[in-house]
Amino acid sequence: MEFAVAFGWLPGAVGDIAHGAATTILLIAVTTLAGTLLSILGAAGRRNGPALLRRAIAWYVEVMRNTPFLVQLFFIFFGLPSLGIRLDPILAAMLAMTLNMAAYTIEIVGAGLDAVPNGQTEAALALGLRPRQVFIKIVLPQALKIIYPALTSQIVIMMLESAVVSQIAVRELTYEADMLQARTFRSFETYFVVTLVYLLMSMALRRLLVSDGRRALGAGVS
């Protein structure tokens, strides 16, 4: 039995693929903003917060980093309704992705904060700045510049992991690929095209983040 590669179905599928890619971009945009903010708060709380908060953040990081993302997603989407908390699939996906990304980036941001010399903080306090001002204006910008390459890689990884949310019927790129494969029975061609789309999206996202990082944080970003 011979197999013939055929892409005749592709023109009619462009709309579905574009819709899936747009949903994936929306997911990673929200996740990046929310996850980065949560990681900054978490890293700061883990270093300067009360003991109970530090322990809670440490446990959160350990749980999220040592359990599968798929299980976390299912817990939020299928488990929380047992407690009366029901979320739309895309909201559940955004929440799961944000919490997962934050757990990893808390460690990354924390490493950046630790890399800023203590003398920077002491000098700023000596000039009369309040601790919060020192953190926001002095320490955090330098920390972000240090960890930006690692943060960029984590964002790209999270975008690729977003394929998992197709399991709760979020119509992102992988979900649309599954539907196309089911309609056309062209598994090889469908996943070949979607693989290329993911590759192009990853490369474009990394280039965009690096370019914006250079402008926002200075020439030290690479």
Side-chain angles (χ1 to χ4, degrees):
M1 181 177 179
E2 295 184 358
F3 172 75
V5 177
F7 289 95
W9 54 271
L10 185 56
V14 169
D16 292 332
I17 294 173
H19 179 274
T23 302
T24 297
I25 291 170
L26 173 63
L27 287 170
I28 195 57
V30 172
T31 299
T32 297
L33 293 174
T36 301
L37 177 59
L38 185 59
S39 67
I40 291 171
L41 295 174
R46 194 169 183 180
R47 279 152 182 77
N48 302 313
L52 182 60
L53 178 61
R54 293 200 301 270
R55 285 196 293 270
I57 294 173
W59 273 105
Y60 158 69
V61 170
E62 286 299 314
V63 170
M64 299 302 289
R65 286 171 63 105
N66 291 287
T67 55
F69 174 57
L70 181 61
V71 173
Q72 298 166 15
L73 179 67
F74 281 179
F75 176 81
I76 290 172
F77 187 69
F78 295 115
L80 291 184
S82 300
L83 304 178
I85 303 173
R86 298 182 182 276
L87 297 176
D88 180 85
I90 196 164
L91 292 179
M94 288 176 178
L95 178 59
M97 289 173 62
T98 296
L99 293 176
N100 184 273
M101 177 178 166
Y104 285 89
T105 50
I106 281 175
E107 295 294 312
I108 295 173
V109 174
L113 295 177
D114 291 341
V116 178
N118 291 331
Q120 299 277 344
T121 300
E122 294 169 359
L125 292 173
L127 291 173
L129 293 179
R130 296 178 180 177
R132 183 177 298 179
Q133 292 176 311
V134 174
F135 179 79
I136 294 174
K137 296 183 178 181
I138 306 297
V139 177
L140 183 58
Q142 295 184 70
L144 290 177
K145 186 173 182 178
I146 293 168
I147 57 94
Y148 193 78
L151 183 61
T152 296
S153 295
Q154 190 60 46
I155 293 170
V156 174
I157 290 170
M158 196 71 248
M159 188 199 73
L160 298 177
E161 287 189 356
S162 69
V164 173
V165 306
S166 63
Q167 298 300 307
I168 60 171
V170 177
R171 292 189 58 187
E172 46 71 69
L173 187 54
T174 299
Y175 178 91
E176 295 293 355
D178 292 342
M179 294 300 101
L180 286 171
Q181 185 275 145
R183 292 201 302 268
T184 64
F185 300 101
R186 309 303 302 188
S187 300
F188 175 83
E189 295 92 330
T190 299
Y191 292 113
F192 177 79
V193 170
V194 170
T195 298
L196 290 180
V197 174
Y198 271 117
L199 177 61
L200 292 173
M201 288 173 62
S202 298
M203 294 171 63
L205 177 59
R206 188 179 298 276
R207 184 177 294 273
L208 175 65
L209 290 172
V210 170
S211 176
D212 286 350
R214 286 200 183 102
R215 288 197 296 268
L217 301 175
V221 176
S222 60

